[in-house]
Amino acid sequence: MSGLHRDKPRTIAALGLIAASALALSACASASAEGDAAGGAANGGSETISYTWDRNTATEEGADPVYEETTVEVPVDPQKIVVFDMAALDSIGALGGEVAGAPLESVPDYLEDHLADDAFNAGTLFEADLIEVEAQQPDLIIVGGRSAALWEDLNEMAPTIDLSMRDGFLATLEANTTFLGEVLGAQDEAAAALEELTAGIDEAKAAVAEAGGSGLGIMVSGGELSALAPSKGDGDTRGARGGLIYDVFGVEPVVEDVEAATHGEPISFEFLLEHDPEWLWVVDRDAAVATEGAQAAEVVLDNEIVNQTTAAKEDHILYLDPTAWYIVFGGIDTTQRMIDDVLQIAGR
């Protein structure tokens, strides 16, 4: 069963979040008691919550997005939830809920406790096992990010919502946590989690400010480096993952315009030495996706050129949890891990 389990302990430490209003988001939820309205409530209950967002209906790869306002009626206290978004799995579990089905091979070890003991494999993040999902008769299905394209097929089987990031990391985290709290009947737990996250992010930002110095986020993959750039602040969330270290935690980028400086291309070891950031924040993509035979980021960066940089000499190369920063990227417990990563800077 995937209802709320009040006796399940939460695993959130004191962390921080800027109070962005969920009402300002394009994806919003409002309580409703319309019975089995559009989408219905498969759990037999009568209460639903309306979830509305602007859905990208463009189907051709590389095409400009075409948005259509979409509303789904979500059952309150759904008994069988299927999730194709790891951040949603994270927050459901942290709020005391349980997930009946997911792409099991993509679930990180630290989120496995959020699955039911008899959880079924719902496919992958990119391709749902439609036959199995339909056979399981879920009450609610959640997609987001990589799995957003699955919405149309899945919504034919059960109410399906898309919890993708739309308005930046913090605003999305607040809106999705608040909404899931309403769905699970865990409003107080959701509010407490957000309050704790707010304190933690503030603490991490303060630690970054106290350490001082410039920084650069990099991703290591296949022995090559890519520089992570701050988001442009124009509402485009595609750069939010890379920009998180700057945009949320206040790291001062060593290059004023990282994207212009790199032309969106992989960077060289010489680039690091030339710009010489005082802090390096490293995401090992190969570790995140379990690339067979790949060198660890620590090995790739242990070379004569990098060892001449200030970051290397001062022991200022900080390795971030690759699963949290690259795969899950959101959710209550994962944000905890991100904050802990940033707090590595304290005392260095």
Side-chain angles (χ1 to χ4, degrees), residues 17 20-23 25 27-29 51 163 169-181 194:
L17 195 167
S21 173
L23 296 177
L25 300 179
C28 60
Y51 184 83
L163 295 184
F169 181 86
L170 292 176
T172 299
L173 178 63
E174 180 176 359
N176 290 353
T177 300
T178 300
F179 176 75
L180 290 172
L194 291 173

Side-chain angles (χ1 to χ4, degrees), residues 82-86 103 122-125 128 133 141-144 147 150 154:
V82 176
V83 172
F84 288 87
D85 175 60
M86 294 301 103
T124 72
L125 294 175
V133 173
I141 303 173
I142 300 175
V143 299
S147 61
L150 303 176
L154 292 170

